[in-house]
Every structure is written in C-alpha cells, then in structure tokens.
Amino acid sequence: MCLKPARANRMVLWVALAATALLAMAAMVFGGCQPKGEPAPDNQLEAVRQRGYLVIGCKYDSPPFGYLDTDGHVKGFEIDLGRLLADKVLGDPNAVKFVQVNTSTRIAALDAKHVDLVLATMTITEERKEKVTFSPTYYTAAQAVMVKADSAYRRVADLDGKPVAFVLGATSEARLKKNIPQAKLLGFKATTEAFSAFNAGRAQAFSTDDSILYGFVSEYCGVKLLEDRLSEEPYGMAFRKDDSAKPLVAAVSSALEQLLAAGEVAQLKAKWMRTNPPDTCAKP
Ligand code: GLU
C-alpha cells in the first residue's frame, strides 16, 4: 500500500494515539493507576501519605479531651495526642486536620469517609467492634454521676425517679437504665448541652465518663461527682472496618504504642487532667 506523505503522517498519528489509549487502559486495569511497585490506591495509609495529612474526627464539646477555646482553636488531650500521632506517622505534628464529631455522629463520620479515624472519648465495646476497628486503649475512664455540690444525693440509687441528663449515643444511657430504671432520662446531642441543662436545674444529675465530668468540675463551681462508678470506659481510636484501613490501623496503633511506652501519653494526662474546683468560677 502506497500512501501520500500527509495521509501517512495522519495514519501514524492515529496509530500512536490508539496505542497510547490502549496502554493507559491496560495500566488502569492491571496496575490500578499506580506506578509499578507502589501500593494499591485503596490503601488508606497510602492515601493519607499522598494527601500529606491525617483527618481526625474529634470532640469540640468535651473538655479536657477536645474543646473549642475562646481563641477559636480546638484544644485538649486528644488534640495533642492527634498531633503526636501525626508526627510519628507522617513526620510532622501539624500534618493533621481536625474535624468536629460528637458522641452520636462519630461512627457515621467514619462511614461517610469524612474522617480517617475518630479520636473522641470513644469507649471500646463489643457492640461497637461490630462496626469499627479500634486501636489499643489510650485512656481508661469510668462512668460517673455529677450532682450539685449542695444536693442531698449520696449514691446513684438516690436518683431513681429523678431527671438525669446524658449524651445521645453514649454508653452511659444503658447503665443508667440498668441502675436507676425509674429515672427520667434526658438525652442531649452535645456534652456541653447536657451539662448546661443540668447546671440550669433541668436535671438533678448528669452522667457520663468521670474524665469528662472532671473537665466541668475544674471549670464550674458548685458541682461534684458522686463516689459511685458504674462502669469502666477504655478509650480507643476508631477506624473503618474494612481491609483498606488495615495499614492505617497498624501504623497509628504502633505510633500510639510507642507514645504509651515512652510515657508521652502519661505526660498529656498530667498536662490536661484536673479534678479540683477552679479558683474562679466560669459561667455556664
Ligand atoms: N466514653 C463514652 C462513650 O464512648 C461516653 C463519652 C462520650 O460521649 O464519648 O460512649
């Protein structure tokens, strides 16, 4: 076959374009769009490394773990821990973006892929393990009950039949139902909302983890915790429960274990945890 030069050039161009398209398709199908030797794209750790930062779901309503300060910045034990983990996993304590979650939205935020992991006072429970994968424990709290310091309540049982505030989606609800079945339980979306309702007198008590309640004790006057504890609440970070999360779970959990072994998590506890009432009282 003999073609004219212009036609022959066009033909070469078409063949070259077709070959390039075929090669690109083959690379996508067989190589997952990745250069040879790199991990598959459905590896969440690799996705985080490519993005350059972790996206962590944290609380904005639970001092001293995560709270929005008056300067507009989110601060707390879990915020500091998130930065230490980013430093270990990505080599930069600022390679992290914090996204607000609360007790009732944190698993949905994970499922919707709004966050890579949840670091939000979340108790490791068998029921939750059906939905998420947990890291090792980084803090152990216990469910407690807060009342007004001048009230006559001494034991949790004294609150049966009374209005008691709790946070929706928290482990505390089930234990309250078991321990004080006649109590009128009032559920709130945010920890700060539950505390404000209790502090304003809409509930006789507020029950959640002692570690969170102490955050309010150390800021507001006239409130105290009853001595009874209803449960142990080991906190773990939560990850999506699928295979693509496994390398991220392994990397973050190993970073956490190093921080625990080096005493850095204990240092955060010493920095943030207070159990005494404040010198000056905050307004609710
Ligand atoms: N740690 C408990 C839970 O995971 C209660 C505190 C919270 O609201 O996160 O349900």
Side-chain angles (χ1 to χ4, degrees):
M1 189 164 60
C2 181
L3 297 170
K4 286 186 180 159
R7 228 173 141 196
N9 282 346
R10 269 207 305 279
M11 187 88 147
V12 168
L13 194 66
W14 278 115
V15 169
L17 278 173
T20 310
L22 273 172
L23 278 173
M25 277 167 69
M28 280 168 76
V29 170
F30 299 110
C33 286
Q34 293 293 308
K36 203 167 173 249
E38 288 195 14
D42 64 348
N43 174 333
Q44 288 179 34
L45 177 61
E46 189 54 32
V48 165
R49 287 200 173 122
Q50 284 175 12
R51 186 201 299 136
Y53 57 92
L54 281 163
V55 181
I56 297 183
C58 69
K59 297 276 204 79
Y60 280 39
D61 67 352
S62 298
F65 289 92
Y67 67 97
L68 199 58
D69 205 354
T70 45
D71 61 9
H73 292 289
V74 64
K75 296 179 186 170
F77 173 99
E78 287 172 335
I79 306 307
D80 282 356
L81 180 56
R83 291 212 171 89
L84 291 175
L85 292 166
D87 196 19
K88 285 256 178 258
V89 175
L90 297 169
D92 179 358
N94 294 315
V96 56
K97 181 180 160 197
F98 294 103
V99 170
Q100 181 181 10
V101 296
N102 63 34
T103 301
S104 57
T105 64
R106 52 198 170 185
I107 293 180
L110 257 188
D111 288 345
K113 303 190 176 172
H114 292 156
V115 298
D116 298 317
L117 64 111
V118 161
L119 175 51
T121 68
M122 190 161 171
T123 301
I124 300 168
T125 67
E126 292 307 314
E127 196 185 335
R128 288 174 180 163
K129 278 186 195 170
E130 304 280 313
K131 296 179 189 156
V132 301
T133 302
F134 282 106
S135 72
T137 301
Y138 60 87
Y139 188 94
T140 302
Q143 185 178 341
V145 175
M146 173 186 267
V147 295
K148 291 287 170 70
D150 59 2
S151 78
Y153 302 118
R154 295 285 170 268
R155 308 296 312 257
V156 173
D158 299 339
L159 286 150
D160 218 4
K162 309 285 184 214
V164 176
F166 73 98
V167 184
L168 292 165
T171 45
S172 34
E173 182 178 6
R175 298 252 164 55
L176 289 172
K177 281 184 174 153
K178 195 169 158 219
N179 284 274
I180 40 174
Q182 304 305 320
K184 184 174 175 237
L185 300 184
L186 306 173
F188 293 88
K189 275 192 186 150
T191 310
T192 38
E193 262 180 55
F195 174 75
S196 297
F198 152 72
N199 209 26
R202 287 174 56 201
Q204 293 292 296
F206 170 31
S207 181
T208 186
D209 300 341
D210 53 1
S211 50
I212 297 174
L213 292 174
Y214 278 130
F216 294 106
V217 167
S218 65
E219 203 182 337
Y220 296 86
C221 296
V223 295
K224 68 172 186 187
L225 268 56
L226 298 180
E227 272 178 28
D228 290 346
R229 293 293 180 271
L230 306 182
S231 64
E232 207 173 70
E233 307 283 330
Y235 293 173
M237 282 175 270
F239 300 82
R240 282 190 280 287
K241 199 179 164 72
D242 57 51
D243 283 351
S244 70
K246 283 182 178 166
L248 182 67
V249 178
V252 176
S253 298
S254 145
L256 172 63
E257 270 158 0
Q258 289 170 45
L259 293 170
L260 286 163
E264 291 190 64
V265 177
Q267 281 172 25
L268 290 186
K269 278 185 206 166
K271 174 180 171 186
W272 287 104
M273 299 302 156
R274 299 279 173 275
T275 54
N276 293 330
D279 296 333
T280 51
C281 308
K283 292 252 182 302

